[in-house]
Amino acid sequence: MKILIATDMEGITGVTTWDHVTPGHAEYTRFRRLMTQDVNAAIRGAMDAGADEIIIADGHWNGSNILVEELDSRARLNTGSPSPFSMMQGIDESVDGVMFVGYHARNGTPHAILDHTWSSKTVANVWLNDILTGEYGLNAAVAGQFGVPVIMVSGDQTACAQVTELLGDIEMAVVKQATGRFAAECLTPQTSQELICTTAMRAVERLVQGDTPDPFVIEIPVRVTVEFFTSDMADRATRIPFTERDGTRVSFAAQDMASAYSGFRAMVMLAIG
Ligand SMILES: [Zn+2]
């Protein structure tokens, strides 16, 4: 049984501000260690429940957050950027289940720590066909193309609720109760990591029993629509051929989810300028 743990940082234990997740900031060094520990807890749980191969994707910022020297030696780490599948690097048909560790809500969500969608200064909203989603939906749909279900999420209560609303009844570890974008009541690392470990264990047990929601398969061709914060961002994103523009919204159609994901990442990179 092979598990891909797709990680982000905003939903990691104790994280409440951008300082915690921004490379170069003094606080960041504390939280990349906590991120590594949250991931280790998920590895422990998955392995205890019978997984025998674990791949990690370091999905935050430039993909160089997890401390490889402190990572559980039974796992392998995808780190660095850009990589072909970014936050989902390591995904293919051989993966049996995906865990989201450290995830956050989509941009514009109340009571959600560091809510944003891919780029906090660039992207206001993203739709896959008519589904308004965040990074969780994009990433789950990439897994879906390979027939792989998402089986677990960790993050604040709002992130977990958004993910389960989209994907169905998957296991969740709520490591903090957000009361605003920069405020939350947090579990301490020991308690939080025990919770992540037991949640990962339950998720793999349910996967073994065939008791997990179906993979999130998006209907193709898939129309990706990105609403940017300003017109100049949309100006730059429309330099990509075959895009359509409506105000600050730019959209395109793709024949599969992997190309939709590539096109989305290309648009955002251009829009950032
Ligand atoms: Zn992030």
Side-chain angles (χ1 to χ4, degrees):
M1 164 135 340
K2 180 175 175 182
I3 301 292
L4 171 66
I5 304 181
T7 69
D8 202 353
M9 199 165 185
E10 292 81 354
I12 290 299
T13 302
V15 166
T16 54
T17 79
W18 295 119
D19 296 350
H20 295 161
V21 299
T22 304
H25 197 281
E27 285 281 82
Y28 168 76
T29 49
R30 291 173 55 214
F31 288 92
R32 64 189 302 200
R33 175 156 286 114
L34 286 168
M35 179 183 185
T36 308
Q37 292 168 2
D38 278 14
V39 174
N40 278 340
I43 296 170
R44 217 161 42 241
M47 286 269 173
D48 285 355
D52 49 23
E53 191 176 355
I54 309 265
I55 310 289
I56 315 294
D58 188 335
H60 176 72
W61 201 276
N62 56 3
S64 311
N65 309 282
I66 292 169
L67 299 167
V68 68
E69 65 274 29
E70 293 183 18
L71 193 63
D72 190 314
S73 60
R74 296 172 292 181
R76 296 196 303 280
L77 175 66
N78 284 287
T79 177
S81 81
S83 59
F85 281 104
S86 187
M87 298 184 78
M88 294 299 286
Q89 187 58 30
I91 190 70
D92 62 23
E93 293 87 352
S94 71
V95 175
D96 296 295
V98 169
M99 296 178 172
F100 287 163
V101 169
Y103 267 49
H104 56 83
R106 66 174 180 262
N107 186 61
T109 309
H111 311 302
I113 290 298
L114 303 181
D115 63 302
H116 71 284
T117 302
W118 207 270
S119 169
S120 61
K121 293 188 172 67
T122 320
V123 177
N125 286 298
V126 176
W127 291 264
L128 289 178
N129 295 330
D130 292 327
I131 304 168
L132 176 65
T133 187
E135 291 159 35
Y136 57 92
L138 290 159
N139 296 341
V142 170
Q145 178 177 326
F146 295 98
V148 183
V150 177
I151 60 172
M152 165 190 164
V153 58
S154 81
D156 66 31
Q157 85 281 17
T158 310
C160 290
Q162 276 186 355
V163 171
T164 52
E165 186 191 2
L166 181 70
L167 303 182
D169 168 35
I170 66 170
E171 291 298 320
M172 51 181 174
V174 175
V175 302
K176 50 196 166 189
Q177 293 286 334
T179 51
R181 197 182 196 202
F182 304 128
E185 187 173 278
C186 301
L187 298 180
T188 59
Q190 195 186 345
T191 310
S192 172
Q193 286 151 22
E194 275 169 24
L195 176 65
I196 291 169
C197 180
T198 54
T199 305
M201 205 183 295
R202 259 200 323 274
V204 170
E205 284 166 2
R206 283 180 59 190
L207 185 62
V208 170
Q209 292 157 9
D211 174 34
T212 42
D214 290 334
F216 178 55
V217 179
I218 203 85
E219 206 176 306
I220 54 168
V222 51
R223 176 150 288 273
V224 181
T225 305
V226 182
E227 182 180 13
F228 293 100
F229 284 123
T230 60
S231 311
D232 59 300
M233 294 171 183
D235 289 344
R236 286 190 292 275
T238 43
R239 297 284 71 76
I240 295 180
F242 313 115
T243 49
E244 284 172 30
R245 168 96 179 253
D246 175 13
T248 54
R249 292 184 190 191
V250 183
S251 66
F252 67 97
Q255 289 310 313
D256 60 34
M257 192 53 217
S259 12
Y261 199 60
S262 279
F264 167 74
R265 291 168 60 199
M267 279 216 295
V268 175
M269 258 188 264
L270 272 181
I272 289 170

